[in-house]
Amino acid sequence: MARAALKLIVTGIVQGVGFRPFVYRVALLSGVAGYVRNLGGSEVEILVEGAWPQLRGFMRLFAEKLPPPAVIEELELVEVKPQGLDGFRILKSGSSSVKRSMIPPDFAMCKDCLREILDPRDRRYRYPFNSCAYCGPRFSMMYRVPYDRENTAMRDFPMCEDCLREYTDPWNERRFHAQGISCPKCGPRVRLLDRDGRPVEARDPIREAARLIDEGYIVAVKGVGGYHIAALASDDDVVAELRRRKRRPTKPFALMALDSEVASKLVYLDERARRVLESPRAPILLLPRREDAPVSPLVAPGLDTLGVMIAYSPLHYLLLMETRDRFAIMTSGNIHGKPMCTSLECVLKHLRGVVDYILDHNRVIVNRVDDSVARFTAGRLVLIRRSRGYAPAWVRLRYRTPREIVAFGAELQNAGAVAFKDKVVLTQYIGDTDDYDTLMELDRYLRWFVETYRIRLDRAVLVADMHPRYNSRRLAEEWAAETGAELITVQHHHAHVAAAAADWGVKPSVRVAGIAVDGVGYGLDGTIWGGEVLLTDIAGFKRMGHLEPQPLPGGDRATEYPARIAVGIMTKFMSVEEAVETAKRLGLVSMLPGGETEARIAALQASSGRAPLASSLGRILDAFSALLGVCGHRGYEGEPAIRLEAFGRRGRLLEDIVAPVEGSVVNTTRLFREVLEALEEGVDRRDLAYTVMWRLGEALATLALRALEEADAETVYMSGGAAVNDIIARAVENVLRREGYALALPRRVPPGDGGIALGQAAVAAARLLYEPPG
């Protein structure tokens, strides 16, 4: 029978997931000859030859037996001339790049690896670095592509005979050619250190670390993508001490539970949430706190949710298994505003005053990867932080960019991106780039992705936020000066809506309505925007409506102390003295460090027009949070609005309080005045909180309905940090559904500033496609 040959180029998540071993086994089963190898763009090349029945058998098995973590995005298949090959081989990886493919994210421990570390008869019993082709670190330990052992941190650990035997056995499905495998004989080692880096003698460092945690000590734990800080979550004194040491007065701490059964004793866990927690991505998931949860109220002050993840690495599982609670605080190992530590040197320098002990190991963390965070909003899973388990998987556009793009994102909760063809690759979560060290992390990782994906900077376009004082924009300007690349800027809220639209596959030139709601963004008129309804064709946009601009007396100080905003709004319908007296009566004055004097200054600034104006939803929510006595000081980004959502969740809608839409503006002054009057009449504060959020959502949806009259699609795309508010999102959706329209929130990127880079890349690509040169 005549021989034929096929060449396949496969892109997607096809390196680091047991893909080549899978191809090898399928080749043996179908009787074809040929080879499989990784290429330098993270893609895989396959050549198979044989009789046509054998080739058809290969393709059938290829489709049926794909490894669980693998994702095929593209498969290029061409018939080529047979070479007369005998047998099938896994070739050494090539450095050339035919196509660019995905870099595999880190995967949570699989059930088979968990079973092995718990089985006393298994040679990997209690081994804290157990992994296989289907789970374990990937991106966090990669120096470069392709994903081969010599290009990862595992190059420091040559395989022993037992591991090598598994590695070369084609029928060992989980370990044949699995690049990261090891065992107690040949793999990384754990050690326990004191806060000065001196070894602590312990027969079992993990058991000893668990004992120390149970005794109330605070322990740094070197994980997959960085160091955690572990501590008892059930002891008020321990949590209070951790807050004091970390200088983190109110921001909630994440919890790690041994498994979903333990997690179910802390939070209300339905089947959908359980699947998210147990998935290979294993994010921190914000869930309703159980009333009887044995967790200190100091873990998440003022909130009705807890952020919970389950042990996603063998080391974490073995540690929590030995603690009395089977759960613990597992928060990022950093000091406020700085990147999470990835090296022992960083821990000894920056966390010496925070932790008492260090559970360390000798596998290098090459790339910092924070834990991802997600929640449910209006019944949808929404990302808040996109990192471990998700990054750096790409997002595909429905169009191709004519030139390659580097996007620098926004300023807070930032991530950058590179874009080529129809793909946008976002970096992992970087953080707040108003901090210099974090800004340098953005620079470092953008350069890593530029090199990895072979972006030609001299031909690329750089894109940054329009805000002239964002450090991310200044970094983009430095890159432009260094490379000669073109730099374009994109308005913040335009990028938010474009990110949501691009995430759902909207093409440029299709006009869509969008809602962008957040704390701050630089507007085209030089004022602060943040409660916007836009009409966009991706390349450009038209502002269709917005919240009424309100004064921010003292600028940034009003953001920290939102009682200043509340006092400023009062001056729109009462005198300065009346505003001060009302602030005293309602307790707003006690929220201000300067007391009555500060309240009077804020009122004077607002009434005289000397306060900056903001149409921001985040800021008006902050003002209501202060007015209702929920939160008078912002200890972390978004705190007053986040606590307002928690406070109002069990409230009910008050029919006689409204947020009227007047022309293209939502009258928030009237809403504020009505709530103030109701508050002084003794109306339940939770009902008022719920009503405020619901009415604001309804008003924004009303403006969006008008934008839909000029749109080409029947969906409204909502994004921005405040878009995760469940009450607001449900109110928007309720109005849209009544009129036959739909609401879409981002799926694969955060609605907040962590998704801005996708929107920037989408806008830049659309402009390059449709705007004439020059």
Side-chain angles (χ1 to χ4, degrees), residues 594-656:
E596 183 178 339
T597 300
E598 185 169 353
R600 180 169 282 103
I601 290 171
L604 288 167
Q605 288 173 329
S607 63
S608 63
R610 291 184 287 116
L613 298 176
S615 61
S616 160
L617 177 62
R619 297 294 81 85
I620 194 69
L621 291 176
D622 291 351
F624 279 111
S625 189
L627 177 67
L628 297 175
V630 176
C631 182
H633 176 255
R634 189 190 71 164
Y636 57 89
E637 179 69 19
E639 180 180 10
I642 292 169
R643 291 180 64 169
L644 184 70
E645 180 189 7
F647 183 75
R649 206 184 310 272
R650 295 183 183 178
R652 63 183 181 87
L653 185 64
L654 302 171
E655 296 297 334
D656 54 342

Side-chain angles (χ1 to χ4, degrees), residues 202 231 305 308 440 522 574 584 595 632 663 721 730:
T305 57
V308 179
M440 290 301 96
Y522 190 77
M574 61 178 70
K584 288 168 64 177
R730 285 191 293 110

Side-chain angles (χ1 to χ4, degrees), residues 38-58:
N38 285 340
L39 294 179
S42 290
E43 75 275 45
V44 171
E45 179 186 62
I46 305 167
L47 179 71
V48 288
E49 62 177 73
W52 274 111
Q54 294 173 311
L55 294 176
R56 283 192 288 270
F58 173 85

Side-chain angles (χ1 to χ4, degrees), residues 666-708:
V666 179
N667 187 336
T668 53
T669 298
R670 178 173 166 184
L671 176 65
F672 194 89
R673 184 172 188 169
E674 290 184 358
V675 170
L676 172 59
E677 291 171 353
L679 179 64
E680 297 214 277
E681 292 170 2
V683 175
D684 185 273
R685 293 184 303 129
R686 292 185 188 275
D687 293 344
L688 290 170
Y690 181 90
T691 300
V692 161
M693 291 179 279
W694 188 270
R695 294 303 189 204
L696 288 169
E698 284 185 326
L700 289 165
T702 300
L703 289 172
L705 288 174
R706 297 178 185 176
L708 283 165

Side-chain angles (χ1 to χ4, degrees), residues 126-140:
R126 294 187 60 81
Y127 179 54
F129 304 98
N130 196 21
S131 69
C132 69
Y134 302 151
C135 74
R138 297 295 192 269
F139 171 56
S140 64

